Amino acid sequence: MDTNLELMAFAAVKNLQAAGLTVATAESCTGGLIAAAITGVPGASAAFRYGWVTYCNEAKERELGIPPALIEEHTVVSEPVAAAMAQGAMRKAGADIGIAVTGNAGPTAAEGEPPVGTICIALARRGAPRPVHTETLHLPGLPRNAIRNHIAAKLLQMLATIS
């Protein structure tokens, strides 16, 4: 695993432990990379509740409760879908925080889908004044694994700085 991911995961787990918070992950294009990084940290079980790799739309619908109409209306690579994934993971795992990522890491984009390098992330937090933070990143021209590593590091950094 990338050393930067290991360091970010360590910081995220230690921060979550110190804050007494738990997290659940819902990953599509990162394929479980974030959950693997978190669970690679000794003592992660105090902070990590559950992780889903929902690569296909049916898994997002069945496992996380994403309404098919939401995907149809916004496409699977969208902030509303990422937000619903994060909220679904948080709710189903009984966690304090849910993080999610959906996007197109390449090598090609299907017709009607956002271009390669378009990634949507979300962080949901139970009881927060702003319960869901979403963001769309555009990383055109990067190799698939570079996109995946960049996104995983970004979400881990968000967990490392949450209070």
Side-chain angles (χ1 to χ4, degrees):
M1 180 174 297
D2 179 276
T3 304
N4 187 44
L5 284 183
E6 289 180 36
L7 292 172
M8 291 307 305
F10 181 83
V13 168
K14 295 307 173 194
N15 185 53
L16 291 169
Q17 288 173 331
L21 297 171
T22 58
V23 66
T25 60
E27 301 179 65
S28 186
C29 63
T30 51
L33 187 60
I34 299 166
I38 291 171
T39 58
V41 176
S45 60
F48 186 75
R49 298 282 299 178
Y50 210 98
W52 285 268
V53 176
T54 54
Y55 209 69
C56 67
N57 291 353
E58 294 81 16
K60 290 172 183 66
E61 295 163 9
R62 185 177 58 250
E63 297 298 320
L64 300 173
I66 309 305
L70 187 69
I71 294 172
E72 289 172 25
E73 180 180 351
H74 298 282
T75 80
V76 71
V77 181
S78 66
E79 289 184 19
V81 170
M85 290 171 65
Q87 290 171 313
M90 180 179 67
R91 183 182 64 254
K92 288 193 83 171
D96 301 305
I97 298 166
I99 60 172
V101 57
T102 183
N104 185 349
T108 60
E111 189 173 323
E113 290 290 323
V116 171
T118 304
I119 311 293
C120 297
I121 62 172
L123 185 147
R125 180 151 181 203
R126 190 177 314 282
R130 183 176 175 205
V132 184
H133 167 81
T134 59
E135 194 174 332
T136 299
L137 297 108
H138 301 281
L139 305 167
L142 289 179
R144 182 178 179 81
N145 281 335
I147 290 171
R148 295 174 69 228
N149 285 327
H150 179 80
I151 296 304
K154 179 161 182 65
L155 281 162
L156 289 168
Q157 181 180 21
M158 289 170 75
L159 291 175
T161 58
I162 202 164
S163 55

